[in-house]
Amino acid sequence: MSDSAPDTAAPAAPGDLALPLLGMIAYFQLAAFTRLAADSGLAPTLTQRLSLAGYARNALNRVDRVAGRIVELGGDPQSAMRPFAGVLVEFDERTEPSTWSERLLKSYVGYGVADDFARVLAEGLDPASREVVDEVMSDDGHGATVVAALEAAGADDATLSPRLALWGRRLVGESLGVVQRVLGAHPEVVRLLAGALPGDEPQSRLFARLTAEHTRRMDRLGLAA
Amino acid sequence: MSDSAPDTAAPAAPGDLALPLLGMIAYFQLAAFTRLAADSGLAPTLTQRLSLAGYARNALNRVDRVAGRIVELGGDPQSAMRPFAGVLVEFDERTEPSTWSERLLKSYVGYGVADDFARVLAEGLDPASREVVDEVMSDDGHGATVVAALEAAGADDATLSPRLALWGRRLVGESLGVVQRVLGAHPEVVRLLAGALPGDEPQSRLFARLTAEHTRRMDRLGLAA
């Protein structure tokens, strides 16, 4: 399939960098599928269970869409995904939610950071791959559903907001830790980042951007970031 | 939506009985989604993880297909599903798999019985609803995937077959217990069964049929039922 490996100046530059990024995105979406399906199974109402199941399915559909692009580029989807397998295990172990609200916030914050990370990196891709990433990252309503559910929960419980604000800080810290570990383990992603954010200290600017987006998301919930 | 509910002389007969059955099927498929997605998250290889995720998605697509028929009949999908919520909790608690092979066999045996139960009951439905059930219950390859995986596992481990045979007996016993509890708690399902298997002792004949189908499935695995 792919002896289209070489890099530098010209030929395979976009595809070569696109494959690892698309692999990472596909893996994160597969992880989102697993997580949202698990949340669905624990949902307190049938309505929420069905709703989260639908978002899980959307995530799996995204895996397929990204895998399709990997194939178009001459890659193998599983080979592209495999280097990222397990990258969220530590995150999950360190962020076990103790309530339904904490569980909802975890997916909102965690996937928020993962999606933003992918969006930034995609700025360094060839237009066709970037279009796939933009399409895959488009809002499917999951965020709005979480915001509505947490607002409803907060209306019943005045002590919820400060606790969730604290939990949100914990989650974003751990999420940025995942990004840090990915950058540490994947020089090809660092290279892609340099292309996406040309200039000095792309990593600092990446983290500034991820943090700003997180703050915006917490604002939507009326929570201090 | 629909005050198109009544049909024949005995006003609500088909639709009236179709709604609870379709609700039960939709709920079982939602449970299958949750279970297969959880199995996917625990799969030992990425290939198996993706494969099981796809079967989970199929199950959720079936929920939607059945829900669509419920709406056509003037019912509300969640209202139809809700009476069956929780019917598998005890089953799950009593059949916690201790190995990957046991986990695979659990879905194969458990959904096998649930699907056969639904198929028998569907024989008492109006043709359009029955067509939906037949469509939804069509083989999506999950069984063949499990059979192939267990055969491969058995080739590596001669002690596996007898242990799985024992586990299969345990699973079918618990699965038939679920059917028994559904019949005990849902007179409308008993009524539907009487229509599906007219004559004496429909429940005995139902259990005979479910047991025979289970034996056939275990044969496919080369295991004693």
Side-chain angles (χ1 to χ4, degrees), chain B residues 59-224:
Chain B
L60 189 63
N61 290 340
R62 289 163 170 184
V63 174
D64 290 350
R65 181 74 185 90
V66 174
R69 179 60 188 159
I70 291 172
V71 169
E72 277 171 20
L73 288 169
D76 171 63
Q78 291 194 29
S79 304
M81 292 168 76
R82 202 164 284 117
F84 300 93
V87 81
L88 296 173
V89 171
E90 198 179 333
F91 172 75
D92 275 329
E93 285 172 359
R94 292 170 105 152
T95 56
E96 186 57 43
S98 61
T99 64
W100 180 245
S101 294
E102 287 187 5
R103 189 170 290 276
L104 289 176
L105 190 63
K106 176 174 170 174
S107 60
Y108 180 69
V109 169
Y111 303 142
V113 171
D115 287 4
D116 288 335
F117 182 36
R119 270 191 209 97
V120 170
L121 292 172
E123 292 172 20
L125 288 187
D126 63 285
S129 296
R130 190 174 168 179
E131 200 179 305
V132 170
V133 175
D134 286 345
E135 186 190 316
V136 154
M137 294 299 160
S138 67
D139 186 3
D140 69 347
H142 174 249
T145 301
V146 170
V147 170
L150 291 181
E151 271 172 2
D156 292 342
D157 175 4
T159 71
L160 187 64
S161 284
R163 282 186 287 126
L164 283 184
L166 203 64
W167 178 240
R169 283 194 284 278
R170 170 90 177 283
L171 288 168
V172 75
E174 295 291 346
S175 300
L176 295 175
V178 170
V179 172
Q180 194 62 67
R181 282 196 293 282
V182 167
L183 292 170
H186 295 277
E188 73 282 13
V189 177
V190 175
R191 237 172 99 213
L192 193 58
L193 180 64
L197 297 180
D200 289 343
E201 304 201 23
Q203 294 199 22
S204 302
R205 282 179 293 135
L206 167 70
F207 283 100
R209 199 149 136 189
L210 296 178
T211 305
E213 288 297 320
H214 169 71
T215 301
R216 191 187 52 73
R217 264 189 301 275
M218 295 299 274
D219 280 348
R220 239 177 116 186
L221 286 169
L223 296 178

Side-chain angles (χ1 to χ4, degrees), chain A residues 11 29 40 51 66 83 87 92 100 113 130 148 165 183 188 201 213:
Chain A
Q29 292 296 329
S40 162
S51 164
V66 174
V87 81
D92 275 330
W100 180 245
V113 171
R130 190 172 168 179
L183 292 170
E188 73 283 13
E201 304 201 23
E213 287 298 319

Side-chain angles (χ1 to χ4, degrees), chain A residues 129-192:
Chain A
S129 295
R130 190 172 168 179
E131 201 179 304
V132 171
V133 175
D134 286 346
E135 188 191 313
V136 154
M137 294 298 161
S138 66
D139 187 3
D140 70 347
H142 174 250
T145 300
V146 170
V147 170
L150 291 181
E151 272 172 359
D156 291 342
D157 176 2
T159 69
L160 187 64
S161 284
R163 280 186 289 126
L164 283 184
L166 203 64
W167 178 242
R169 282 194 284 277
R170 172 88 177 284
L171 289 167
V172 76
E174 296 291 347
S175 300
L176 295 175
V178 171
V179 172
Q180 192 63 67
R181 281 195 294 282
V182 167
L183 292 170
H186 295 277
E188 73 283 13
V189 177
V190 174
R191 237 171 101 213
L192 191 57

